[in-house]
Short mmCIF file of all heavy atoms in Angstrom, two decimals:
data_model
loop_
_atom_site.label_atom_id
_atom_site.label_comp_id
_atom_site.label_asym_id
_atom_site.label_seq_id
_atom_site.Cartn_x
_atom_site.Cartn_y
_atom_site.Cartn_z
N PRO A 1 -13.07 9.23 -23.55
CA PRO A 1 -13.98 10.37 -23.44
C PRO A 1 -14.28 10.53 -21.90
O PRO A 1 -14.51 11.71 -21.47
CB PRO A 1 -15.22 9.76 -24.09
CG PRO A 1 -14.74 8.83 -25.22
CD PRO A 1 -13.54 8.19 -24.44
N ALA A 2 -14.35 9.41 -21.15
CA ALA A 2 -14.58 9.61 -19.71
C ALA A 2 -13.45 10.26 -18.97
O ALA A 2 -13.61 11.10 -18.10
CB ALA A 2 -14.84 8.28 -19.08
N MET A 3 -12.12 10.06 -19.41
CA MET A 3 -11.03 10.77 -18.84
C MET A 3 -11.05 12.34 -19.17
O MET A 3 -10.67 13.08 -18.27
CB MET A 3 -9.77 10.15 -19.45
CG MET A 3 -9.39 8.73 -18.91
SD MET A 3 -9.20 8.55 -17.19
CE MET A 3 -10.80 7.80 -16.67
N LEU A 4 -11.47 12.56 -20.39
CA LEU A 4 -11.68 13.96 -20.79
C LEU A 4 -12.72 14.67 -19.85
O LEU A 4 -12.60 15.79 -19.44
CB LEU A 4 -11.99 14.11 -22.24
CG LEU A 4 -11.95 15.51 -22.86
CD1 LEU A 4 -10.70 16.18 -22.63
CD2 LEU A 4 -12.45 15.37 -24.32
N GLN A 5 -13.93 14.02 -19.78
CA GLN A 5 -14.92 14.54 -18.86
C GLN A 5 -14.49 14.81 -17.44
O GLN A 5 -14.81 15.68 -16.86
CB GLN A 5 -16.08 13.67 -19.01
CG GLN A 5 -16.86 13.65 -20.37
CD GLN A 5 -17.89 12.71 -20.54
OE1 GLN A 5 -18.28 11.94 -19.48
NE2 GLN A 5 -18.64 12.58 -21.65
N LEU A 6 -13.76 13.82 -17.03
CA LEU A 6 -13.14 13.81 -15.63
C LEU A 6 -12.29 15.10 -15.49
O LEU A 6 -12.34 15.70 -14.51
CB LEU A 6 -12.40 12.53 -15.30
CG LEU A 6 -12.07 12.38 -13.85
CD1 LEU A 6 -13.27 12.20 -13.03
CD2 LEU A 6 -11.09 11.13 -13.85
N HIS A 7 -11.45 15.33 -16.42
CA HIS A 7 -10.61 16.53 -16.40
C HIS A 7 -11.44 17.80 -16.28
O HIS A 7 -11.05 18.72 -15.63
CB HIS A 7 -9.65 16.57 -17.53
CG HIS A 7 -8.78 17.69 -17.80
ND1 HIS A 7 -7.74 17.95 -16.89
CD2 HIS A 7 -8.93 18.87 -18.51
CE1 HIS A 7 -7.16 19.10 -17.29
NE2 HIS A 7 -7.85 19.64 -18.25
N HIS A 8 -12.47 17.89 -17.09
CA HIS A 8 -13.37 19.08 -17.15
C HIS A 8 -14.04 19.28 -15.76
O HIS A 8 -14.30 20.31 -15.37
CB HIS A 8 -14.33 19.01 -18.31
CG HIS A 8 -13.73 19.08 -19.71
ND1 HIS A 8 -12.62 19.90 -19.93
CD2 HIS A 8 -14.15 18.52 -20.85
CE1 HIS A 8 -12.31 19.89 -21.24
NE2 HIS A 8 -13.16 19.01 -21.78
N LEU A 9 -14.33 18.14 -15.13
CA LEU A 9 -15.05 18.22 -13.82
C LEU A 9 -14.33 19.10 -12.89
O LEU A 9 -14.97 19.85 -12.05
CB LEU A 9 -15.38 16.77 -13.38
CG LEU A 9 -16.09 16.65 -12.07
CD1 LEU A 9 -17.50 17.32 -12.16
CD2 LEU A 9 -16.29 15.23 -11.60
N SER A 10 -13.09 18.90 -12.77
CA SER A 10 -12.17 19.54 -11.85
C SER A 10 -12.42 21.15 -11.90
O SER A 10 -12.42 21.93 -10.89
CB SER A 10 -10.85 19.27 -11.89
OG SER A 10 -10.50 17.97 -11.67
N GLY A 11 -12.55 21.68 -13.07
CA GLY A 11 -12.72 23.11 -13.36
C GLY A 11 -14.04 23.65 -13.26
O GLY A 11 -14.26 24.90 -13.45
N MET A 12 -15.01 22.78 -13.17
CA MET A 12 -16.50 23.25 -13.18
C MET A 12 -16.81 23.98 -11.94
O MET A 12 -16.41 23.75 -10.91
CB MET A 12 -17.36 22.10 -13.43
CG MET A 12 -17.35 21.38 -14.63
SD MET A 12 -18.32 19.81 -14.81
CE MET A 12 -20.00 20.62 -14.97
N LYS A 13 -17.58 25.07 -12.19
CA LYS A 13 -17.91 25.91 -10.99
C LYS A 13 -19.21 25.40 -10.31
O LYS A 13 -20.36 25.80 -10.50
CB LYS A 13 -18.32 27.41 -11.40
CG LYS A 13 -17.08 27.99 -12.20
CD LYS A 13 -15.99 28.17 -11.26
CE LYS A 13 -14.72 28.90 -11.87
NZ LYS A 13 -13.54 28.93 -11.04
N LEU A 14 -19.03 24.37 -9.56
CA LEU A 14 -20.04 23.68 -8.95
C LEU A 14 -19.79 23.31 -7.46
O LEU A 14 -18.47 23.22 -7.20
CB LEU A 14 -20.34 22.25 -9.66
CG LEU A 14 -20.94 22.36 -11.03
CD1 LEU A 14 -21.02 20.90 -11.62
CD2 LEU A 14 -22.37 22.91 -10.99
N PRO A 15 -20.74 23.17 -6.52
CA PRO A 15 -20.38 22.85 -5.16
C PRO A 15 -19.70 21.52 -5.18
O PRO A 15 -19.95 20.63 -5.95
CB PRO A 15 -21.74 22.73 -4.55
CG PRO A 15 -22.68 23.50 -5.36
CD PRO A 15 -22.13 23.42 -6.83
N PRO A 16 -18.73 21.17 -4.26
CA PRO A 16 -18.04 19.99 -4.27
C PRO A 16 -18.84 18.72 -4.04
O PRO A 16 -18.57 17.67 -4.64
CB PRO A 16 -17.10 20.09 -3.00
CG PRO A 16 -17.56 21.25 -2.21
CD PRO A 16 -18.28 22.11 -3.25
N GLU A 17 -19.99 18.83 -3.31
CA GLU A 17 -20.85 17.63 -3.18
C GLU A 17 -21.53 17.33 -4.55
O GLU A 17 -21.90 16.17 -4.89
CB GLU A 17 -21.87 17.99 -2.09
CG GLU A 17 -22.79 19.11 -2.26
CD GLU A 17 -22.31 20.43 -1.71
OE1 GLU A 17 -21.15 20.56 -1.53
OE2 GLU A 17 -23.22 21.30 -1.33
N GLU A 18 -21.84 18.39 -5.40
CA GLU A 18 -22.41 18.13 -6.71
C GLU A 18 -21.34 17.44 -7.62
O GLU A 18 -21.64 16.61 -8.39
CB GLU A 18 -22.94 19.44 -7.40
CG GLU A 18 -23.53 19.17 -8.74
CD GLU A 18 -24.81 18.38 -8.70
OE1 GLU A 18 -25.38 18.16 -7.64
OE2 GLU A 18 -25.15 17.80 -9.83
N LYS A 19 -20.05 17.97 -7.60
CA LYS A 19 -19.00 17.32 -8.29
C LYS A 19 -18.91 15.80 -7.84
O LYS A 19 -18.63 14.97 -8.72
CB LYS A 19 -17.71 18.08 -8.02
CG LYS A 19 -17.59 19.45 -8.69
CD LYS A 19 -16.22 20.01 -8.60
CE LYS A 19 -16.08 21.36 -9.30
NZ LYS A 19 -14.75 21.89 -9.12
N LEU A 20 -19.00 15.57 -6.66
CA LEU A 20 -18.92 14.22 -6.07
C LEU A 20 -20.00 13.38 -6.66
O LEU A 20 -19.71 12.18 -7.11
CB LEU A 20 -19.02 14.24 -4.65
CG LEU A 20 -18.98 12.80 -3.86
CD1 LEU A 20 -17.73 12.17 -4.18
CD2 LEU A 20 -19.24 12.96 -2.36
N ARG A 21 -21.21 13.87 -6.77
CA ARG A 21 -22.35 13.05 -7.32
C ARG A 21 -22.02 12.84 -8.82
O ARG A 21 -22.35 11.75 -9.33
CB ARG A 21 -23.61 13.78 -7.19
CG ARG A 21 -24.79 12.94 -7.66
CD ARG A 21 -26.16 13.47 -7.30
NE ARG A 21 -27.31 12.53 -7.84
CZ ARG A 21 -27.61 11.49 -7.16
NH1 ARG A 21 -27.04 11.19 -5.97
NH2 ARG A 21 -28.56 10.73 -7.73
N ILE A 22 -21.55 13.74 -9.54
CA ILE A 22 -21.21 13.61 -10.92
C ILE A 22 -20.29 12.61 -11.16
O ILE A 22 -20.31 11.75 -12.02
CB ILE A 22 -20.95 15.04 -11.58
CG1 ILE A 22 -22.11 15.97 -11.63
CG2 ILE A 22 -20.28 14.85 -13.06
CD1 ILE A 22 -21.73 17.36 -12.06
N HIS A 23 -19.22 12.68 -10.32
CA HIS A 23 -18.10 11.82 -10.40
C HIS A 23 -18.51 10.35 -10.13
O HIS A 23 -18.32 9.31 -11.04
CB HIS A 23 -17.01 12.09 -9.45
CG HIS A 23 -15.91 11.09 -9.34
ND1 HIS A 23 -15.22 10.61 -10.34
CD2 HIS A 23 -15.50 10.31 -8.26
CE1 HIS A 23 -14.29 9.62 -9.92
NE2 HIS A 23 -14.47 9.47 -8.64
N ILE A 24 -19.35 10.10 -9.10
CA ILE A 24 -19.81 8.79 -8.71
C ILE A 24 -20.67 8.21 -9.87
O ILE A 24 -20.61 7.09 -10.27
CB ILE A 24 -20.49 8.78 -7.50
CG1 ILE A 24 -19.54 8.83 -6.28
CG2 ILE A 24 -21.33 7.40 -7.13
CD1 ILE A 24 -19.99 9.03 -4.90
N SER A 25 -21.58 9.06 -10.35
CA SER A 25 -22.56 8.64 -11.48
C SER A 25 -21.74 8.23 -12.65
O SER A 25 -22.07 7.35 -13.37
CB SER A 25 -23.44 9.82 -11.74
OG SER A 25 -24.30 9.58 -12.83
N GLY A 26 -20.68 8.98 -12.96
CA GLY A 26 -19.93 8.84 -14.15
C GLY A 26 -19.17 7.49 -14.07
O GLY A 26 -19.09 6.70 -15.10
N MET A 27 -18.65 7.19 -12.86
CA MET A 27 -17.88 6.02 -12.62
C MET A 27 -18.85 4.73 -12.87
O MET A 27 -18.51 3.76 -13.53
CB MET A 27 -17.30 5.86 -11.23
CG MET A 27 -16.18 6.78 -10.89
SD MET A 27 -14.63 6.22 -11.64
CE MET A 27 -14.42 4.72 -10.51
N VAL A 28 -19.95 4.80 -12.26
CA VAL A 28 -20.98 3.67 -12.34
C VAL A 28 -21.42 3.60 -13.84
O VAL A 28 -21.52 2.39 -14.31
CB VAL A 28 -22.14 3.91 -11.52
CG1 VAL A 28 -23.28 2.85 -11.64
CG2 VAL A 28 -21.66 3.93 -10.00
N MET A 29 -21.65 4.58 -14.55
CA MET A 29 -22.14 4.56 -15.87
C MET A 29 -21.11 3.88 -16.83
O MET A 29 -21.47 3.08 -17.72
CB MET A 29 -22.36 5.99 -16.44
CG MET A 29 -23.73 6.59 -15.98
SD MET A 29 -25.03 5.57 -16.44
CE MET A 29 -24.94 5.66 -18.19
N ILE A 30 -19.82 4.23 -16.61
CA ILE A 30 -18.74 3.53 -17.44
C ILE A 30 -18.75 2.01 -17.14
O ILE A 30 -18.80 1.20 -18.25
CB ILE A 30 -17.41 4.02 -16.95
CG1 ILE A 30 -17.15 5.53 -17.69
CG2 ILE A 30 -16.28 3.15 -17.50
CD1 ILE A 30 -17.12 5.52 -19.12
N TYR A 31 -18.89 1.64 -15.98
CA TYR A 31 -18.92 0.15 -15.64
C TYR A 31 -20.34 -0.45 -16.27
O TYR A 31 -20.26 -1.52 -16.76
CB TYR A 31 -18.96 -0.10 -14.17
CG TYR A 31 -17.60 -0.08 -13.53
CD1 TYR A 31 -17.11 1.14 -13.05
CD2 TYR A 31 -16.82 -1.17 -13.46
CE1 TYR A 31 -15.94 1.09 -12.33
CE2 TYR A 31 -15.61 -1.16 -12.84
CZ TYR A 31 -15.00 0.05 -12.33
OH TYR A 31 -13.92 -0.02 -11.74
N PHE A 32 -21.29 0.35 -16.17
CA PHE A 32 -22.67 -0.16 -16.70
C PHE A 32 -22.56 -0.31 -18.27
O PHE A 32 -23.06 -1.25 -18.88
CB PHE A 32 -23.68 0.81 -16.32
CG PHE A 32 -25.13 0.42 -16.70
CD1 PHE A 32 -25.72 -0.71 -16.13
CD2 PHE A 32 -25.75 1.02 -17.80
CE1 PHE A 32 -26.99 -1.12 -16.50
CE2 PHE A 32 -26.97 0.68 -18.07
CZ PHE A 32 -27.69 -0.41 -17.45
N GLN A 33 -22.07 0.69 -18.98
CA GLN A 33 -21.98 0.71 -20.42
C GLN A 33 -21.00 -0.27 -20.97
O GLN A 33 -21.24 -0.88 -21.90
CB GLN A 33 -21.67 2.09 -20.93
CG GLN A 33 -22.74 3.15 -20.72
CD GLN A 33 -22.39 4.59 -21.13
OE1 GLN A 33 -21.07 4.92 -20.97
NE2 GLN A 33 -23.32 5.36 -21.66
N TYR A 34 -19.89 -0.43 -20.27
CA TYR A 34 -18.81 -1.33 -20.65
C TYR A 34 -18.54 -2.36 -19.50
O TYR A 34 -17.46 -2.22 -18.84
CB TYR A 34 -17.55 -0.53 -21.04
CG TYR A 34 -17.83 0.50 -22.09
CD1 TYR A 34 -17.93 1.93 -21.77
CD2 TYR A 34 -18.05 0.22 -23.46
CE1 TYR A 34 -18.24 2.88 -22.58
CE2 TYR A 34 -18.35 1.21 -24.38
CZ TYR A 34 -18.43 2.57 -23.91
OH TYR A 34 -18.67 3.60 -24.87
N PRO A 35 -19.36 -3.36 -19.37
CA PRO A 35 -19.21 -4.24 -18.19
C PRO A 35 -18.00 -5.10 -18.27
O PRO A 35 -17.65 -5.69 -17.18
CB PRO A 35 -20.56 -5.07 -18.30
CG PRO A 35 -20.83 -5.12 -19.69
CD PRO A 35 -20.48 -3.63 -20.18
N TYR A 36 -17.32 -5.13 -19.19
CA TYR A 36 -16.04 -5.95 -19.38
C TYR A 36 -14.81 -5.20 -19.04
O TYR A 36 -13.69 -5.68 -18.76
CB TYR A 36 -15.82 -6.36 -20.84
CG TYR A 36 -15.85 -5.27 -21.85
CD1 TYR A 36 -14.70 -4.56 -22.08
CD2 TYR A 36 -17.03 -4.93 -22.57
CE1 TYR A 36 -14.68 -3.52 -22.97
CE2 TYR A 36 -17.00 -4.03 -23.46
CZ TYR A 36 -15.80 -3.25 -23.77
OH TYR A 36 -15.86 -2.19 -24.64
N ILE A 37 -15.02 -3.81 -18.67
CA ILE A 37 -13.72 -3.04 -18.38
C ILE A 37 -12.90 -3.53 -17.12
O ILE A 37 -11.77 -3.70 -17.25
CB ILE A 37 -14.18 -1.53 -18.30
CG1 ILE A 37 -14.59 -0.87 -19.53
CG2 ILE A 37 -13.07 -0.75 -17.63
CD1 ILE A 37 -13.42 -0.77 -20.53
N ASN A 38 -13.68 -3.69 -16.04
CA ASN A 38 -12.98 -4.14 -14.88
C ASN A 38 -12.30 -5.42 -14.99
O ASN A 38 -11.24 -5.80 -14.58
CB ASN A 38 -13.92 -4.15 -13.64
CG ASN A 38 -15.21 -4.91 -13.81
OD1 ASN A 38 -15.59 -5.30 -14.89
ND2 ASN A 38 -15.74 -5.27 -12.65
N ARG A 39 -13.08 -6.55 -15.66
CA ARG A 39 -12.45 -7.78 -15.92
C ARG A 39 -11.23 -7.69 -16.83
O ARG A 39 -10.23 -8.37 -16.65
CB ARG A 39 -13.59 -8.65 -16.55
CG ARG A 39 -14.67 -8.95 -15.69
CD ARG A 39 -15.62 -10.03 -16.31
NE ARG A 39 -16.88 -10.11 -15.59
CZ ARG A 39 -18.02 -9.44 -16.02
NH1 ARG A 39 -17.98 -8.70 -17.09
NH2 ARG A 39 -19.12 -9.67 -15.27
N LEU A 40 -11.31 -6.84 -17.79
CA LEU A 40 -10.24 -6.62 -18.73
C LEU A 40 -8.90 -6.05 -18.06
O LEU A 40 -7.83 -6.49 -18.21
CB LEU A 40 -10.68 -5.74 -20.00
CG LEU A 40 -9.60 -5.45 -20.96
CD1 LEU A 40 -8.94 -6.67 -21.58
CD2 LEU A 40 -10.22 -4.53 -22.01
N MET A 41 -9.20 -5.16 -17.19
CA MET A 41 -8.03 -4.53 -16.47
C MET A 41 -7.44 -5.60 -15.53
O MET A 41 -6.19 -5.75 -15.47
CB MET A 41 -8.49 -3.32 -15.60
CG MET A 41 -8.72 -2.07 -16.49
SD MET A 41 -9.13 -0.72 -15.34
CE MET A 41 -9.15 0.70 -16.68
N HIS A 42 -8.33 -6.33 -14.93
CA HIS A 42 -7.72 -7.36 -13.92
C HIS A 42 -7.06 -8.46 -14.65
O HIS A 42 -5.93 -8.95 -14.22
CB HIS A 42 -8.90 -8.04 -13.30
CG HIS A 42 -9.59 -7.23 -12.08
ND1 HIS A 42 -8.81 -6.81 -11.02
CD2 HIS A 42 -10.78 -6.78 -11.91
CE1 HIS A 42 -9.53 -6.19 -10.22
NE2 HIS A 42 -10.80 -6.02 -10.73
N GLN A 43 -7.52 -8.78 -15.94
CA GLN A 43 -6.85 -9.85 -16.79
C GLN A 43 -5.48 -9.29 -17.14
O GLN A 43 -4.53 -10.05 -17.05
CB GLN A 43 -7.73 -10.12 -18.05
CG GLN A 43 -7.14 -11.09 -18.92
CD GLN A 43 -7.44 -12.52 -18.44
OE1 GLN A 43 -8.51 -12.80 -17.83
NE2 GLN A 43 -6.39 -13.39 -18.50
N LEU A 44 -5.40 -8.03 -17.61
CA LEU A 44 -4.04 -7.50 -18.06
C LEU A 44 -3.10 -7.46 -16.96
O LEU A 44 -1.94 -7.75 -17.07
CB LEU A 44 -4.34 -6.13 -18.79
CG LEU A 44 -4.94 -6.18 -20.15
CD1 LEU A 44 -5.36 -4.61 -20.51
CD2 LEU A 44 -4.20 -6.64 -21.23
N LEU A 45 -3.62 -7.03 -15.82
CA LEU A 45 -2.71 -6.89 -14.59
C LEU A 45 -2.31 -8.23 -14.15
O LEU A 45 -1.17 -8.28 -13.64
CB LEU A 45 -3.51 -6.11 -13.54
CG LEU A 45 -3.75 -4.63 -13.82
CD1 LEU A 45 -4.56 -4.00 -12.76
CD2 LEU A 45 -2.36 -3.92 -13.90
N SER A 46 -3.07 -9.27 -14.21
CA SER A 46 -2.79 -10.57 -13.87
C SER A 46 -1.77 -11.24 -14.72
O SER A 46 -0.80 -11.96 -14.43
CB SER A 46 -4.07 -11.49 -13.70
OG SER A 46 -3.72 -12.81 -13.46
N ASP A 47 -1.98 -11.06 -16.16
CA ASP A 47 -1.21 -11.73 -17.12
C ASP A 47 0.24 -11.04 -17.16
O ASP A 47 1.23 -11.80 -17.20
CB ASP A 47 -1.82 -11.59 -18.52
CG ASP A 47 -3.06 -12.48 -18.57
OD1 ASP A 47 -3.14 -13.38 -17.66
OD2 ASP A 47 -3.80 -12.26 -19.49
N GLU A 48 0.32 -9.66 -17.20
CA GLU A 48 1.51 -9.06 -17.35
C GLU A 48 1.65 -7.80 -16.52
O GLU A 48 1.57 -6.64 -17.02
CB GLU A 48 1.75 -8.68 -18.82
CG GLU A 48 1.77 -9.75 -19.82
CD GLU A 48 2.06 -9.30 -21.18
OE1 GLU A 48 3.00 -8.58 -21.41
OE2 GLU A 48 1.26 -9.66 -22.08
#
């Protein structure tokens, strides 16, 4: 869902600084909602 929202963000009629804030907020929210995501990626990249 986050990847889909990210795709829509590019086409939104908003000032670039507002898009930047939405992007940063979205990135942090993903880590906050799913705190294991970064560890899981690191684990997969380390193992294989």
Side-chain angles (χ1 to χ4, degrees):
M3 292 296 103
L4 186 60
Q5 291 173 357
L6 190 67
H7 175 73
H8 290 325
L9 179 61
S10 292
M12 295 175 72
K13 302 299 182 182
L14 293 171
E17 60 269 29
E18 181 61 22
K19 287 186 178 181
L20 176 62
R21 182 171 184 85
I22 292 172
H23 170 58
I24 289 175
S25 179
M27 289 281 293
V28 175
M29 282 300 300
I30 284 294
Y31 279 93
F32 183 71
Q33 291 176 323
Y34 307 104
Y36 55 83
I37 284 296
N38 57 340
R39 296 188 191 96
L40 178 54
M41 285 187 175
H42 284 300
Q43 183 75 41
L44 289 169
L45 291 172
S46 175
D47 290 347
E48 299 184 53

